[in-house]
Amino acid sequence: MVIVGIVIVVATFIAIIKQFETRLVLLLSGLLMCFIGGQLGAGTTAFVKELTNPGLVPTICTVLGFSYVMEYTKCTEHMVYFISAGLKKMTKIIIPGAVIITFLINIALPTAAGCAAAVGALLIPALIRAGVHPAMAGSAIFLGTWGSALSPGLMFNPQVAQLAGEDVMTVIASFSMQAIIGIVVAAILLNIVAIVKKEHTGYVVKGSNAEEGKEFKVNYLYAIIPIIPLVLLVLGSKQVAVIPEISVPVSMLIGTAIGIIAVRPNVTEAVKKFFRGTGDGMCDVVGLMAAAACFTAGMQLIGLTNALIDGMKNSQQIAQIGAAFGPFLLAVISGSGNAAALAFNGAVTPHAADFGYGIMQLGSMAQLGAGIGRSMSPVAGAGIIIAGLAGVNPMEMAKRNAVPCILATVVIMLLLL
């Protein structure tokens, strides 16, 4: 049965890599393993339980709803212009500056594709006009698109928090310093790559159709609205405790209300955008997590999970490397590490103590590895968007980001595990 399980898992990830619908593949594979294991109902039970998970569903849905309202009210655009305004003046550190700015914006705008479009449309033309080679300009933005790892709305953080019996902000605090060190290391390494390849300066725009000198007046109130929920969560966290503790859904609702009141858009349309976001969060994110829960239930029933755990018990190093580079490699190949990280956290992370690690350590490393790996994948949606804006092949960006991403993952792994 274990051998059959391995075959099914390998076939599952091959199908995901070949761009079959991830939710369908995970669900069918999970049900097949449950059937072979003699308990078909266990897969559907796990699926339904995750769809109605009170700890995850409100968090993810309200984050997406808030994000949609911020885009509708143009607050996201004001924030991007505000944060990136000083980048043009930092010519000597323009590349690492672009990486870190994208990373920070991705925390408040926790969708890689959305962040890529919002930031790339502004910064890529600015970087190119400053003399940065288009492929390097795209690489800098692409490298910063795993900042969502520090977002309370990223699906993995509520998942790990629930497994560990902690709140989301405690989970994020447990790896935030390591993640910050990782992005700084990655940004510095990309700058070195740019210098070695002589792509950090001297590029001359030829026939560029980028918008030149388009005036945009930043409204500073609008610019800070997208980060209000994050500020509230930090101030109310156990580590800071300046204000009473506040939940993620409540913080997102407060941010949404402030945005609507401050910008005064068409309220009916704004409310429609919010609920469209919650619906898409249910469909795209919660649906994926539910399918992954069915898949991990199948792995458990067919005996694959226990075999994997027994193998990891024999070596702490195997667990360490597996948590970091398993999701990392799948993300590079498939353009999305979600399936691997969700499966790993569902099947292996609850047993972290058996390998000498904490649940927060192992689960956080899995999601960080997945996020960083996606930032060097030539088939990632965010990378394709950025490549289009820069007018380059996505593979060119992947090659430039390879060394920074691999070494940043190693650094975080050594610091976190």
Side-chain angles (χ1 to χ4, degrees):
M1 284 178 66
V2 171
I3 293 173
V4 172
I6 292 172
V7 172
I8 293 173
V9 170
V10 170
T12 299
F13 287 118
I14 288 174
I16 291 171
I17 290 167
K18 288 184 175 293
Q19 306 297 313
F20 285 92
E21 165 56 45
T22 303
R23 290 164 293 189
L24 177 62
V25 172
L26 289 173
L27 185 59
L28 291 179
S29 299
L31 291 174
L32 177 59
M33 287 189 285
C34 287
F35 175 75
I36 294 171
Q39 295 184 46
L40 180 61
T44 56
T45 299
F47 179 80
V48 172
K49 183 178 179 181
E50 200 70 3
L51 280 180
T52 57
N53 190 321
L56 298 177
V57 177
T59 293
I60 291 165
C61 290
T62 53
V63 168
L64 266 292
F66 171 74
S67 179
Y68 276 40
V69 172
M70 291 300 99
E71 289 184 30
Y72 172 69
T73 58
K74 304 295 184 184
C75 288
T76 296
E77 189 174 1
H78 285 272
M79 179 186 68
V80 171
Y81 271 90
F82 173 57
I83 293 178
S84 60
L87 185 62
K88 299 174 186 177
K89 303 175 184 178
M90 302 186 296
T91 54
K92 294 192 180 297
I93 57 169
I94 192 168
I95 292 173
V99 174
I100 292 171
I101 283 173
T102 306
F103 183 87
L104 294 174
I105 291 174
N106 195 207
I107 299 174
L109 187 64
T111 61
C115 179
V119 180
L122 174 64
L123 288 191
I124 288 175
L127 289 167
I128 294 173
R129 289 196 297 269
V132 177
H133 189 280
M136 185 54 66
S139 297
I141 306 304
F142 193 24
L143 186 58
T145 56
W146 59 276
S148 57
L150 297 179
S151 169
L154 184 71
M155 69 179 80
F156 307 113
N157 288 325
Q159 181 191 35
V160 174
Q162 190 171 57
L163 290 173
E166 295 284 355
D167 62 277
V168 175
M169 296 309 293
T170 297
V171 171
I172 293 173
S174 71
F175 67 84
S176 57
M177 186 55 64
Q178 292 88 338
I180 291 169
I181 293 172
I183 192 62
V184 170
V185 167
I188 292 172
L189 288 171
L190 185 65
N191 199 41
I192 293 171
V193 171
I195 293 171
V196 170
K197 294 177 71 67
K198 297 180 180 178
E199 294 181 347
H200 63 301
T201 186
Y203 181 80
V204 178
V205 179
K206 296 179 182 178
S208 172
N209 58 5
E211 294 184 0
E212 294 281 349
K214 183 181 178 181
E215 291 295 326
F216 185 89
K217 186 176 181 180
V218 175
N219 183 307
Y220 297 106
L221 173 60
Y222 295 179
I224 65 172
I225 290 173
I227 67 171
I228 287 176
L230 292 176
V231 172
L232 292 174
L233 288 168
V234 171
L235 294 178
S237 66
K238 294 177 181 178
Q239 293 75 24
V240 179
V242 173
I243 62 174
E245 186 175 356
I246 188 170
S247 69
V248 175
V250 171
S251 71
M252 295 300 158
L253 290 170
I254 291 173
T256 301
I258 291 174
I260 293 174
I261 292 170
V263 180
R264 296 188 300 279
N266 183 306
V267 176
T268 300
E269 287 301 315
V271 172
K272 286 181 180 179
K273 291 291 182 182
F274 178 82
F275 283 104
R276 172 57 58 191
T278 61
D280 285 351
M282 188 72 184
C283 174
D284 297 333
V285 182
V286 178
L288 177 60
M289 296 182 73
C294 177
F295 180 74
T296 54
M299 288 178 61
Q300 178 71 44
L301 280 172
I302 209 167
L304 190 56
T305 300
N306 289 335
L308 183 63
I309 291 168
D310 289 340
M312 287 187 169
K313 282 180 180 177
N314 296 328
S315 173
Q316 190 177 37
Q317 284 69 37
I318 291 176
Q320 180 186 37
I321 295 171
F325 283 98
F328 177 93
L329 290 173
L330 186 74
V332 173
I333 296 169
S334 67
S336 172
N338 289 348
L342 285 170
F344 187 94
N345 282 343
V348 180
T349 299
H351 307 278
D354 295 334
F355 322 130
Y357 295 117
I359 286 177
M360 288 192 295
Q361 287 177 290
L362 209 64
S364 297
M365 186 65 252
Q367 67 108 335
L368 287 169
I372 300 172
R374 181 190 40 72
S375 296
M376 63 166 280
S377 171
V379 294
I384 292 170
I385 291 170
I386 292 168
L389 292 170
V392 300
N393 189 306
M395 184 59 73
E396 293 301 310
M397 301 191 311
K399 290 190 294 185
R400 287 163 174 79
N401 283 357
V403 171
C405 285
I406 291 170
L407 292 183
T409 303
V410 172
V411 168
I412 293 174
M413 179 184 71
L414 295 175
L415 291 174
L416 187 61
L417 297 179

